[in-house]
Amino acid sequence: DTGVSQDPRHKITKRGQNVTFRCDPISEHNRLYWYRQTLGQGPEFLTYFQNEAQLEKSRLLSDRFSAERPKGSFSTLEIQRTEQGDSAMYLCASSLGSPGGGNTIYFGEGSWLTVV
Amino acid sequence: GENVEQHPSTLSVQEGDSAVIKCTYSDSASNYFPWYKQELGKGPQLIIDIRSNVGEKKDQRIAVTLNKTAKHFSLHITETQPEDSAVYFCAASTGGNEKLTFGTGTRLTIIP
């Protein structure tokens, strides 16, 4: 068990550019989540996948954001036409099943995005 | 949707003393309540969780209590140590709901 892995850990980009983050969940975890965390706040849910299917999206996920999990393993989160308000830490998490069903959600170390 | 409030936002405790962090939630259907510890520059790490069919759970120096009637739950850390210094987040989830709703965090500082 190598934990949830995220790449890159830090990204500085100019406003208007596109960025992509990658997440490798814990092996055999069928659920994968994306959260966003700004300074001084708790993580906020963005979206989740069960295997390759994206089953829920928060209204925080504007149409500039897109997430994929093409083979039910790793996932990517792309932000198009970045804005300064997108500056945050993007957290990926995974679990074997639903938290309501007794499963723990494990978080990665996060990807910091700074839009200048 | 669910709303989780957390208090206090900052807490300083003398090493060896106890620390208590409290959270309230709004959705009476919530049934899973994890606590995460987050160190600077790192992702949240689960330290303990409790489900709605249990009133209290303990793991060494850490305990969590849940009052479903009042819709609040608390984290208790006894015999605090310098390595307990971090930001702690409570969260809540409703059965069948994949989403965790987090509180705003408590920055705990242990004074040597």
Side-chain angles (χ1 to χ4, degrees):
Chain A
D1 181 352
T2 58
V4 179
S5 177
Q6 294 189 243
D7 183 70
R9 293 292 317 280
H10 300 90
K11 179 72 176 179
I12 300 174
T13 191
K14 291 184 178 180
R15 189 176 53 182
Q17 297 294 305
N18 299 344
V19 296
T20 299
F21 300 110
R22 175 181 169 124
C23 172
D24 288 89
I26 295 172
S27 61
E28 299 182 359
H29 278 194
N30 59 63
R31 281 164 165 80
L32 186 146
Y33 309 85
W34 286 99
Y35 282 75
R36 181 172 69 186
Q37 186 177 23
T38 54
L39 282 175
Q41 299 297 315
E44 295 176 291
F45 172 83
L46 292 178
T47 188
Y48 99 95
F49 293 83
Q50 184 170 335
N51 300 311
E52 66 274 12
Q54 187 174 17
L55 296 183
E56 186 175 350
K57 292 195 292 186
S58 163
R59 61 177 182 272
L60 293 176
L61 213 66
S62 76
D63 55 9
R64 296 184 297 106
F65 288 70
S66 63
E68 294 182 345
R69 194 182 183 197
K71 296 182 180 179
S73 56
F74 74 92
S75 175
T76 58
L77 176 67
E78 180 183 18
I79 309 173
Q80 296 182 326
R81 305 181 303 281
T82 52
E83 302 172 356
Q84 286 187 322
D86 297 332
S87 296
M89 181 162 67
Y90 291 86
L91 288 161
C92 179
S94 71
S95 69
L96 271 175
S98 167
N103 297 281
T104 299
I105 295 180
Y106 297 92
F107 283 86
E109 298 287 46
S111 292
W112 283 99
L113 172 65
T114 302
V115 181
V116 297
Chain B
E2 175 66 279
N3 182 50
V4 177
E5 294 189 355
Q6 182 171 348
H7 300 281
S9 57
T10 61
L11 179 62
S12 294
V13 173
Q14 207 72 35
E15 182 178 354
D17 287 350
S18 297
V20 180
I21 302 170
K22 299 181 179 182
C23 288
T24 59
Y25 60 98
S26 61
D27 189 345
S28 56
S30 289
N31 66 348
Y32 173 61
F33 307 93
W35 285 89
Y36 286 85
K37 175 183 181 182
Q38 188 172 30
E39 297 177 339
L40 193 62
K42 296 189 175 182
Q45 179 184 14
L46 180 77
I47 55 172
I48 195 167
D49 58 13
I50 192 167
R51 302 191 183 275
S52 58
N53 57 346
V54 175
E56 183 174 356
K57 183 177 178 181
K58 190 173 182 180
D59 182 4
Q60 299 182 348
R61 298 187 296 109
I62 295 174
V64 56
T65 58
L66 172 64
N67 183 327
K68 285 203 68 181
T69 303
K71 291 191 283 188
H72 68 69
F73 55 113
S74 300
L75 177 71
H76 303 253
I77 306 175
T78 58
E79 301 172 8
T80 52
Q81 301 169 2
E83 53 265 37
D84 294 331
S85 293
V87 179
Y88 291 80
F89 290 97
C90 62
S93 178
T94 306
N97 187 341
E98 299 287 335
K99 179 175 70 173
L100 289 176
T101 301
F102 284 82
T104 50
T106 297
R107 180 173 299 279
L108 174 64
T109 302
I110 307 302
I111 305 166

